[in-house]
Amino acid sequence: MTPLRDVIAGLEPVDGGWRGSVPDGWLQGRTAYGGLSAALALHAAMASDADLPPLRSALVAFVGPLSGDVTIRARRLRRGRNAAFVEADVESAAGLGLRATFVFMGAVESTVDHRTGRSPPAAPPDADDRILRGHPAVAFSQNFELVERAAPDAAEWLRWVRLKDRTGLHPMVELMAVADCLPPVALRLLGRPAPVSSMTWQLNVLGDAPETTDGWWLLQATSDYARAGNSSQRMGIWAADGTPVADQMQSVAVFA
């Protein structure tokens, strides 16, 4: 398997962007794993401007399939006193595959200080846990280590996840790569493999510099709506000590 670090290191500057390739070990069916594509877009966005503040939000549209050689271009949409908006596109031979808007914003003084969102009751991995290595039929999953936790709801996934090789990565690029790792909740409802495709994804970062222990992040995904070929799901990420790290939402097409 090619570590994400090496995929990023293999990017070469071209006019207005970067050129690289998606290794077969990062594919999800006929397209690149969404977390990889978004991580490459974020890397390009952060490299496109100087002294960007911390990432606060990512809005990602999975427009089409991505594989093989890819080109990544990022451009500033607006930069104000506190916030910067950067758009990034990832294209391959099939055309535009991903378009993302990243919002970077520094902390500002505020009288509002409201934090809730306890982590689900799921103890961090320990020596007694069985660490899963991903599914052999799902190429990208081989880049992760997983520990399953019992989900109380039929429309829910709950797993501890970490990259096998996370050395040399920017913490936010690592988090972006991990954040999309859970299967769509619709597959849990179906109880069998089926063709699915993420369409849109929003991630809101809760804090300036998320960190955890031994690379483990707790990921949860739940769905209150899955019908007529569309599933809307809410997702959360917590650090090993229970600190909320990110809120997410995805729209997923289901072809079954």
Side-chain angles (χ1 to χ4, degrees):
M1 309 302 293
T2 305
L4 176 55
R5 173 192 65 251
D6 292 349
V7 179
I8 292 174
L11 296 176
E12 299 178 351
V14 295
D15 289 342
W18 305 81
R19 181 170 295 149
S21 62
V22 176
D24 289 347
W26 281 99
L27 292 177
Q28 184 176 16
R30 67 191 182 102
T31 189
Y33 161 58
L36 171 75
S37 302
L40 295 178
L42 176 59
H43 171 79
M46 292 191 301
S48 70
D49 212 337
D51 300 320
L52 285 169
L55 178 69
R56 292 295 179 187
S57 187
L59 299 99
V60 180
F62 298 105
V63 181
L66 287 169
S67 62
D69 294 335
V70 296
T71 302
I72 312 160
R73 291 185 172 88
R75 67 186 184 98
R76 178 197 294 185
L77 298 178
R78 181 182 184 276
R79 184 156 188 176
R81 189 167 49 182
N82 294 315
F85 287 73
V86 180
E87 183 180 75
D89 288 348
V90 186
E91 301 178 352
S92 66
L96 180 63
L98 178 145
R99 172 163 289 172
T101 302
F102 299 104
V103 184
F104 302 87
M105 181 177 174
V108 297
E109 289 188 12
S110 175
T111 57
V112 178
D113 189 351
H114 174 72
R115 288 171 288 182
T116 61
R118 291 183 178 179
S119 65
D126 59 30
D128 295 328
D129 281 310
R130 180 182 172 219
I131 296 179
L132 305 176
R133 309 293 180 180
H135 196 288
V138 184
F140 85 89
S141 70
Q142 302 299 300
N143 294 284
F144 296 90
E145 294 181 328
L146 317 166
V147 171
E148 196 83 33
R149 290 289 185 251
D153 193 290
E156 179 180 353
W157 291 111
L158 189 61
R159 288 177 177 172
W160 289 95
V161 179
R162 70 179 178 187
L163 275 168
K164 285 183 183 178
D165 189 339
R166 56 191 181 278
T167 56
L169 292 175
H170 187 284
M172 289 312 308
V173 172
E174 175 192 346
L175 184 65
M176 187 67 66
V178 168
D180 189 37
C181 190
L182 292 182
V185 177
L187 293 182
R188 183 170 172 85
L189 291 168
L190 283 169
R192 58 180 174 83
V196 295
S197 179
S198 296
M199 296 187 292
T200 59
W201 173 24
Q202 178 168 356
L203 179 147
N204 293 329
V205 182
L206 311 178
D208 288 345
E211 57 183 30
T212 192
T213 303
D214 294 332
W216 287 112
W217 305 95
L218 179 62
L219 272 59
Q220 180 191 46
T222 62
S223 177
D224 293 326
Y225 180 94
R227 63 180 306 181
N230 177 255
S231 173
S232 179
Q233 60 182 50
R234 292 168 285 108
M235 302 143 73
I237 307 176
W238 293 264
D241 65 359
T243 300
V245 170
D247 288 333
Q248 305 182 81
M249 192 168 188
Q250 276 196 3
S251 175
V252 180
V254 184
F255 304 99

